Amino acid sequence: MIRLPLVLMFSALLFSAGVYGVLARRNAVMVLMAIELMLNAVNVNLVAFAASLQQMTGQVFALFVIAVAAAEVGIGLAIVILLFRTRESINVDEVNLLKW
Amino acid sequence: MNALAAEGEVVYEATTNGLWFVEHAWVVVVLPLISAALILFFGRRTPGKGAVYGIVAVGAAFLFSLGVLWHFVEGGGPFEGSIDWFTIGPLHLELGILVDGLTGIMLVVVTSISLCVHVYSLGYMHGDERFTWFYVVLSLFTAAMLTVVVSNNVIQLLVGWEIMGVCSYLLIGHWWEVKENSNAAIKAFITTRVGDIPFMFGIIMLIALTGFTSTNIGEISHELGLGEVSPLFISMAAILLFGGTVGKSAQFPLHVWLPDAMAGPTPVSALIHAATMVAAGVYLIGRLFEIFLEAEQWVLTTVSIVAAITALGAALLAIVQDDIKRVLAYSTLSQLAYMVAGLSLGELGLTAGFFHLFTHAFFKALLFLGAGSVIHAVHSNNMSDMGGLRKSMPVTFWTMLIGSLALAGIFPLAGFWSKDELLVVAEEEHVYWLFVVFLITAVITAFYTMRMVLLTFFGEYKGHAHPHESPATMTGPLVALAAATIGVGLLGSPQLGAVFGQWVFYEEVHEAVFVPWIALLSTAGALLGLFAGYALYKERKAQDPLQAPMGPLWNVFQNRYYIDAFYMRAIVLPVRDTWSSSVNWFNQVVLDGIVNGAATVTRAFAQVIAWFDRTVIDGIVNGAGEGAGKTGNVLKHLQTGNVQWYAVALFVGVIALAVVFIELV
């Protein structure tokens, strides 16, 4: 059995990769994918703690997160398509009309 | 107003057919008030110019009053009911009615005579340019008088009292285009006001008696009955209240306004200046009788003396008048003094005095309306322009003859019974000097009454108009009042049980007694006066037959003992010419100076405040606004529109919070 701290280290790396993607990527699709990374890092955490504490709650919660993430990606991709149709670009730093 | 009936309490247990009317006696007051408003707002648009409202309302009030009186005919007790008006500190004021036998009688007197006058004015005031306004004030006056009659507290009484004064002023000056009429109105108003000021102070003293907690007449009387108040205080209050009577009922020395008040239309003289308003002063004494009885003896003695002077002095002046209305006005003064003198005789005198008020109201209203009918026919007030009218005006002649004989005190007419009752009471109370004054005045009364009748209706016509009988609207009330004059005296006749004394009494009913020698004496006196009058005036002479034998006294009488001239010289002219200019100077220089100075100081101060407001306060307010705007201008650049920068801030924040929490925990 893999030890818990190792798993936590892995999920922390995964999450950091996601944060980097969200903050640094210009492509909206990439940003969405980075969000998926962060969500999955959380899922890994939930499952790891569930296994280590011998409780099912974490695993159930992970299932909920996967379901919500699927819905979120659906809406996110729809927004990206609309964005592309109106502006011919999906660069997030070009979408900055809502400002002072 | 329904609460009034609900809160009312029957003082004595009694169930009579008239009880409902008594409990709702306020309706009598409200009816003419409504009609006054209706005439004022709709009168001109109504056929007949609005008189119909007044006649219907006062007629209904009259029937209602009969219902109220019926309660007392059946032997019912007094009733008091009230609703809250307002409260000032401890002083609790109410609007209420106090209905006893006296109120019942007064209600009938006021409404019946008001009804007669309302009908009569249809003819007398026909075609007058202010016909509608005349009826407004007539109805308002009736409401005010009824307010005085039913009120159960002194403040409500004062309110009605003052409204009556205003109506009297308006009606005397009804034809104000003539300067003398408006002068008479002003004279009447100001002279009664001289009496009203002590009256008001008297009322304040009465309220002070209760420790400024109540204005209720019953409570004030109760407070007096405890015997804890010093007699001097009560005497002061009583004499101040008597000031109101002296003004309103035109007793010496404030009698001067009543003869001049004859400048008003004759129906007004009949209603206000003969039958009702001037009787309010007498009613006031009766209503607050407890105070006069508890006061020291000198108060009632003063009242007697004032009344005696007025009775005799006014009767003498009536002899020399040429104006028929002035004869009646002086007669009214003298008869009012009879009533006041009667009341000054104590408990027995109360019944006798009010009985005289009751009968006098009818026959004097009859005489005034008759005189109005004559004036209407000959277009002159002066008896030197009349004469021989009995043929052309038979109804007026016969009704006025009945009124005149009643005034003279001839059996079995109203005046005989009431004057006789007063004489009996004076004799029983052993006030013989007043007895003598009553008797002498009765002789003089019979004399000038005969003179008036002879000069007006007998001999040859001296005027220039073509006299004719008045229309039915005028003769109708005359006939009704003549019937009343014959009838009402019997209510106080001892032979018929003197039922009047069972309705109007103080504390307990006194048996009315018939003293044959007094009745004979008064009848002999009246006949003496009548025959003397007949002997002197049966033939009309160019000069009054009294003028030569009276010598210089004639001039004194013609000038009303110079009292009016004295008031004019000693009070009116100095006030008008000297005092008023100095008061004017004081007003212009001192008072206006203070007022203007205060204004200048205020303006200067206001400018300082304005500077402070503009500079400091506005500065703070504007500064706050501008500060917020500038800060916002700087801070708005944080919102770049770039979502990733927001995310950066978010993560930085999360990390910072995490660090803080970890450090703290």
Side-chain angles (χ1 to χ4, degrees):
Chain A
M1 189 169 176
I2 309 164
R3 288 196 293 155
L4 185 62
L6 280 177
V7 181
L8 293 185
M9 287 286 283
F10 165 68
S11 82
L13 282 174
L14 198 57
F15 189 81
S16 301
V19 169
Y20 171 77
V22 168
L23 298 185
R25 285 293 176 174
R26 296 175 68 202
N27 191 319
V29 177
M30 299 304 283
V31 170
L32 280 176
M33 286 171 67
I35 289 171
E36 287 304 308
L37 283 185
M38 287 157 72
L39 286 169
N40 281 318
V42 172
N43 281 348
V44 170
N45 258 9
L46 286 169
V47 173
F49 278 110
S52 114
L53 296 173
Q54 296 292 309
Q55 280 182 348
M56 293 298 286
T57 322
Q59 302 203 17
V60 173
F61 224 90
L63 276 175
F64 274 109
V65 172
I66 289 165
V68 173
E72 179 250 310
V73 167
I75 293 171
L77 285 175
I79 292 171
V80 170
I81 290 167
L82 281 174
L83 197 63
F84 184 75
R85 279 189 190 161
T86 50
R87 313 200 64 162
E88 307 243 319
S89 153
I90 50 172
N91 281 352
V92 283
D93 53 358
E94 287 175 21
V95 188
N96 64 352
L97 277 182
L98 191 66
K99 62 177 180 184
W100 52 272
Chain B
M1 285 294 268
N2 270 327
L4 209 147
E7 281 182 23
E9 59 176 288
V10 184
V11 182
Y12 300 124
E13 203 56 49
T15 32
T16 61
N17 296 322
L19 185 61
W20 184 85
F21 290 101
V22 168
E23 286 172 348
H24 296 81
W26 52 266
V27 173
V28 182
V29 182
V30 172
L31 279 171
L33 198 61
I34 294 173
S35 84
L38 282 177
I39 302 168
L40 182 61
F41 291 116
F42 306 113
R44 283 180 175 279
R45 275 169 266 163
T46 311
K49 292 191 173 180
V52 61
Y53 298 121
I55 292 168
V56 169
V58 176
F62 171 58
L63 294 178
F64 208 102
S65 304
L66 287 180
V68 173
L69 186 60
W70 188 245
H71 171 77
F72 298 102
V73 172
E74 290 176 298
F79 169 86
E80 185 171 358
S82 63
I83 51 172
D84 288 343
W85 191 2
F86 60 88
T87 301
I88 311 171
L91 181 62
H92 180 67
L93 277 175
E94 51 190 10
L95 277 178
I97 55 173
L98 171 62
V99 188
D100 55 11
L102 177 56
T103 312
I105 283 291
M106 290 299 289
L107 286 178
V108 171
V109 168
V110 174
T111 50
S112 60
I113 292 180
S114 180
L115 179 61
C116 286
V117 168
H118 269 79
V119 174
Y120 180 91
S121 304
L122 279 179
Y124 192 84
M125 299 300 285
H126 182 76
D128 190 84
E129 58 178 328
R130 283 187 290 275
F131 183 85
T132 307
W133 174 241
F134 179 81
Y135 269 89
V136 172
V137 185
L138 216 52
S139 282
L140 182 63
F141 167 79
T142 309
M145 179 73 199
L146 292 169
T147 308
V148 170
V149 169
V150 301
S151 81
N152 75 332
N153 66 73
V154 284
I155 295 295
Q156 191 184 338
L157 192 143
L158 181 67
V159 170
W161 183 274
E162 299 293 357
I163 297 175
M164 282 198 307
V166 173
C167 293
S168 165
Y169 166 79
L170 291 173
L171 288 171
I172 294 170
H174 183 72
W175 293 313
W176 47 261
E177 289 88 348
V178 179
K179 182 80 173 121
E180 279 146 30
N181 294 351
S182 74
N183 280 350
I186 293 167
K187 184 172 180 180
F189 194 76
I190 293 179
T191 313
T192 47
R193 195 116 291 275
V194 173
D196 284 350
I197 288 165
F199 176 53
M200 209 152 69
F201 278 101
I203 281 179
I204 294 169
M205 283 183 84
L206 290 187
I207 299 173
L209 277 179
T210 67
F212 291 102
T213 54
S214 173
T215 60
N216 187 292
I217 291 169
E219 282 174 30
I220 290 168
S221 299
H222 175 73
E223 202 75 27
L224 281 174
L226 297 178
E228 290 167 358
V229 190
S230 88
L232 185 65
F233 189 85
I234 302 176
S235 305
M236 290 300 295
I239 207 77
L240 287 171
L241 290 169
F242 183 59
T245 303
V246 170
K248 213 64 151 183
S249 290
Q251 299 296 296
F252 175 83
L254 297 182
H255 62 281
V256 290
W257 67 270
L258 189 60
D260 284 17
M262 296 300 126
T266 312
V268 170
S269 309
L271 177 63
I272 301 186
H273 305 123
T276 57
M277 186 185 84
V278 289
V282 183
Y283 177 80
L284 173 78
I285 301 182
R287 188 38 95 212
L288 302 171
F289 208 46
E290 178 92 31
I291 294 147
F292 286 88
L293 290 186
E294 292 284 337
E296 288 161 357
Q297 185 53 43
W298 61 265
V299 174
L300 281 183
T301 310
T302 311
V303 174
S304 308
I305 292 171
V306 167
I309 293 173
T310 318
L312 210 53
L316 286 171
L317 288 189
I319 295 175
V320 301
Q321 300 301 319
D322 185 36
D323 182 333
I324 185 168
K325 285 181 73 180
R326 280 180 184 265
V327 174
L328 293 172
Y330 281 110
S331 163
T332 305
L333 285 177
S334 151
Q335 299 301 313
L336 285 168
Y338 256 81
M339 301 164 203
V340 174
L343 288 175
S344 75
L345 290 171
E347 296 175 24
L348 288 173
L350 180 94
T351 304
F354 274 108
F355 186 49
H356 193 55
L357 189 159
F358 180 58
T359 58
H360 172 260
F362 290 106
F363 66 69
K364 189 51 69 64
L366 168 62
L367 285 171
F368 263 112
L369 294 186
S373 177
V374 171
I375 293 166
H376 192 64
V378 304
H379 304 298
S380 167
N381 279 12
N382 295 333
M383 291 191 290
S384 49
D385 295 332
M386 298 173 189
L389 294 174
R390 73 179 187 282
K391 286 178 196 122
S392 49
M393 308 181 73
V395 180
T396 307
F397 167 64
W398 283 108
T399 50
M400 255 190 107
L401 190 64
I402 292 169
S404 301
L405 291 178
L407 173 60
I410 297 297
F411 178 87
L413 298 166
F416 168 76
W417 300 106
S418 54
K419 281 189 190 180
D420 193 52
E421 202 57 39
L422 282 166
L423 283 168
V424 169
V425 171
E427 198 267 342
E428 271 184 20
E429 298 280 342
H430 308 294
V431 190
Y432 296 110
W433 68 273
L434 213 50
F435 182 89
V436 174
V437 170
F438 281 166
L439 205 59
I440 295 174
T441 309
V443 175
I444 302 172
T445 306
F447 178 78
Y448 68 67
T449 310
M450 194 63 181
R451 173 176 177 267
M452 178 186 78
V453 171
L454 287 177
L455 291 184
T456 310
F457 291 107
F458 289 86
E460 279 176 21
Y461 182 58
K462 298 272 181 68
H464 306 290
H466 298 284
H468 52 86
E469 186 57 278
S470 301
T473 47
M474 288 167 71
T475 51
L478 286 179
V479 173
L481 283 172
T485 301
I486 297 169
V488 292
L490 303 176
L491 293 177
S493 149
Q495 280 80 8
L496 298 172
V499 283
F500 187 88
Q502 290 160 19
W503 305 337
V504 179
F505 54 86
Y506 183 76
E507 305 235 303
E508 55 183 299
V509 178
H510 295 280
E511 197 70 30
V513 280
F514 185 75
V515 185
W517 68 267
I518 292 180
L520 278 176
L521 194 63
S522 76
T523 309
L527 289 176
L528 175 71
L530 289 179
F531 279 121
Y534 181 72
L536 275 174
Y537 292 97
K538 67 181 173 201
E539 287 171 41
R540 292 202 78 168
K541 294 167 185 141
Q543 197 192 34
D544 196 291
L546 280 179
Q547 191 167 354
M550 278 170 73
L553 213 54
W554 176 264
N555 279 330
V556 174
F557 278 27
Q558 281 294 349
N559 288 296
R560 319 166 194 180
Y561 310 120
Y562 296 103
I563 292 176
D564 291 56
F566 171 72
Y567 286 165
M568 194 68 186
R569 298 253 167 77
I571 300 171
V572 177
L573 290 182
V575 167
R576 196 186 69 188
D577 299 340
T578 315
W579 296 5
S580 63
S581 63
S582 58
V583 169
N584 186 41
W585 174 86
F586 183 78
N587 181 44
Q588 293 292 332
V589 179
V590 181
L591 291 185
D592 282 12
I594 293 171
V595 172
N596 292 341
T600 311
V601 170
T602 310
R603 266 181 70 100
F605 189 64
Q607 272 164 357
V608 173
I609 304 249
W611 174 86
F612 183 79
D613 187 52
R614 298 253 162 71
T615 318
V616 181
I617 310 272
D618 283 11
I620 292 171
V621 173
N622 293 340
E626 279 171 25
K630 280 175 183 159
T631 318
N633 254 336
V634 174
L635 290 178
K636 74 180 178 185
H637 295 286
L638 285 177
Q639 192 175 9
T640 56
N642 189 336
V643 183
Q644 283 168 317
W645 272 114
Y646 302 163
V648 169
L650 182 77
F651 282 115
V652 170
V654 169
I655 289 163
L657 281 177
V659 169
V660 168
F661 274 104
I662 289 163
E663 286 297 310
L664 284 181
V665 176

